[in-house]
Amino acid sequence: MKALLKDISLSALVAGFIATVISYAGPLVIIFQVAQAADLPHDVLSSWVWAISIGSGVLGIVLSLRYKVPVIVAWNAPGSALLITLLPGMSLNEAVGAYLVSSAIILLVGLSGSFDRIISKLPAAISAGMLAGILFSFGTGLFVSLQDQPLLVLAMFGTYLVCKRLVPRYAVLAVLLVGVGIALGLGELRTERLVIGLATPLWISPEFSWQATLNVALPLVMVALTGQFVPGMAVLRADGYSTPASPLISSNGAASLLLAPFGCHGLTLAAITAAICTGREAHEDPARRYVAGVSGGVFYLLLGLFGATLVSIFAAFPAALIAALAGLALLAAIANSLTGAMAIPQDREAALITFLVTASGMSFLGLSAAFWGLIFGVVAHLLLGLRKPPTSAPSPCVQREQQTAR
């Protein structure tokens, strides 16, 4: 504790606060869209927000103090995007069963120390194509919402472009503030839904089915490993932190396993918001930046405890504001996924197939588009990647005949 008090700085505290606020301003919006699509009760959504917030906060504080590294934990954002089409088609109990399976797999990956080996076996372009397909509907939803609230959406879009140019780190936060301001001015905020109260954890008994395992659990593992843990570790490595991946991954898997019955769909390392806490903006001395991880964890805990109030605030927003905010917050993730999908020339066609199947939203044999996108993409990758047999060189006699013919 003395070391922590000695290392505290205003810049690190602010970095942790900003990282947390951006997480709630952006990725949390996806969860509210999932809740709307699945028509989840208010108490279930409140428990879900409580679980992911408390888990992120406790893990961030413990891991940052343990390794003296700014470890920022967040919920599986691409995984929550995956749920927007899948959760309405299954019971909440089946979904929790799938969360438990995916968390157990992540835990085993962490304990086995096989993270780097597994990632090297997964075609990066296929994973990126699947993630791009999952996120595609959020990008189009931004412009679909334009027909319902043109003034609101155009103002948010313009704010995003201007802030992305001038202050890119705060673009999503600025979009949220502008959107809320305009909604207030237009009388679109449903203030009667606002409540003040603490979140109450709600136990949801799991049910297990092979459809939920294939449709939800395996895609959750895929997007967690490739879309969160890989860039999350890359951010730490880029800023000179050599913390081993295994304990970070296994800690997230264990915490997700414990919190799944309360609605947590998976905790992972943060990537985009983590960069705020691992760089010079947090502190000039890398050894003192871990305070930003502790700070972010504390703010997660505070917001998680008031999960019921947080849920009611987002419930008061008009649907167009939520759709536009989610689309704008995910533009960078969509761009990165498409770039990764097209980065390797020999894998472009397989990645494109993965993207199209996933984005189509199709369902076949009770299995989701994300699952089939992965299957079609891997099959295309294997078949298109087969080497053609080398053409045998013509015999010397044939070569002389060819030369004579010329």
Side-chain angles (χ1 to χ4, degrees), residues 81 84-85 132-142 334 359:
I84 196 166
T85 56
I134 292 170
L135 300 178
F136 179 74
S137 62
F138 290 93
T140 56
L142 161 66
I334 296 171

Side-chain angles (χ1 to χ4, degrees), residues 361-377:
M362 56 86 82
S363 178
F364 182 57
L365 299 178
L367 300 174
S368 69
F371 173 81
W372 287 115
L374 184 61
I375 296 299
F376 277 82

Side-chain angles (χ1 to χ4, degrees), residues 144-155 186 188 318-321:
V144 170
S145 64
L146 183 65
Q147 61 191 4
D148 298 323
Q149 295 277 357
L151 176 61
L152 174 66
V153 176
L154 285 175
L186 296 176
E188 294 289 340
L321 189 153

Side-chain angles (χ1 to χ4, degrees), residues 43-336:
D43 57 346
V44 172
L45 179 55
S46 177
S47 179
W48 188 358
V49 173
W50 174 88
I52 59 177
S53 302
I54 297 301
S56 298
V58 171
L59 271 184
I61 293 171
V62 172
L63 293 175
S64 295
L65 290 174
R66 168 67 178 82
Y67 295 101
K68 292 295 187 288
V69 165
V71 179
I72 307 300
V73 176
W75 47 92
N76 186 353
S80 55
L82 172 74
L83 295 175
I84 196 166
T85 56
L86 297 181
L87 202 57
M90 68 177 64
S91 71
L92 197 57
N93 305 87
E94 284 182 305
V96 169
Y99 299 165
L100 287 170
V101 172
S102 65
S103 300
I105 295 174
I106 295 292
L107 176 59
L108 290 175
V109 170
L111 292 175
S112 67
S114 58
F115 173 71
D116 293 328
R117 293 195 300 274
I118 291 175
I119 293 302
S120 67
K121 298 293 183 183
L122 294 174
I126 303 300
S127 300
M130 184 183 72
L131 181 56
I134 292 170
L135 300 178
F136 179 74
S137 62
F138 290 93
T140 56
L142 161 66
F143 299 102
V144 170
S145 64
L146 183 65
Q147 61 191 4
D148 298 323
Q149 295 277 357
L151 176 61
L152 174 66
V153 176
L154 285 175
M156 294 173 70
F157 182 64
T159 301
Y160 176 83
L161 293 180
V162 172
C163 292
K164 197 68 177 178
R165 171 70 178 176
L166 300 177
V167 283
R169 182 185 301 174
Y170 310 104
V172 174
L173 181 58
V175 167
L176 173 61
L177 295 176
V178 169
V180 171
I182 292 178
L184 272 173
L186 296 176
E188 294 289 340
L189 281 184
R190 292 161 287 190
T191 53
E192 71 278 0
R193 297 193 176 188
L194 295 174
V195 298
I196 298 177
L198 299 176
T200 303
L202 179 68
W203 177 272
I204 304 166
S205 299
E207 291 180 5
F208 299 94
S209 67
W210 66 271
Q211 292 97 334
T213 298
L214 293 178
N215 279 340
V216 179
L218 294 184
L220 277 179
V221 172
M222 280 285 295
V223 297
L225 291 176
T226 60
Q228 293 284 156
F229 284 113
V230 169
M233 290 304 303
V235 168
L236 288 174
R237 297 288 186 264
D239 283 302
Y241 297 105
S242 57
T243 310
S246 293
L248 301 184
I249 295 170
S250 56
S251 298
N252 278 274
S256 300
L257 202 60
L258 292 174
L259 292 169
F262 301 101
C264 176
H265 65 290
L267 300 173
T268 63
L269 292 179
I272 298 172
T273 52
I276 299 172
C277 300
T278 59
R280 289 180 175 273
E281 295 85 353
H283 201 282
E284 286 294 326
D285 184 0
R288 296 177 62 181
R289 294 174 192 166
Y290 76 94
V291 176
V294 177
S295 169
V298 170
F299 285 113
Y300 269 129
L301 292 179
L302 291 175
L303 290 170
L305 290 175
F306 289 91
T309 302
L310 196 62
V311 168
S312 72
I313 290 173
F314 278 88
F317 292 164
L321 189 153
I322 297 292
L325 184 59
L328 291 169
L330 289 171
L331 280 182
I334 296 171
N336 291 336

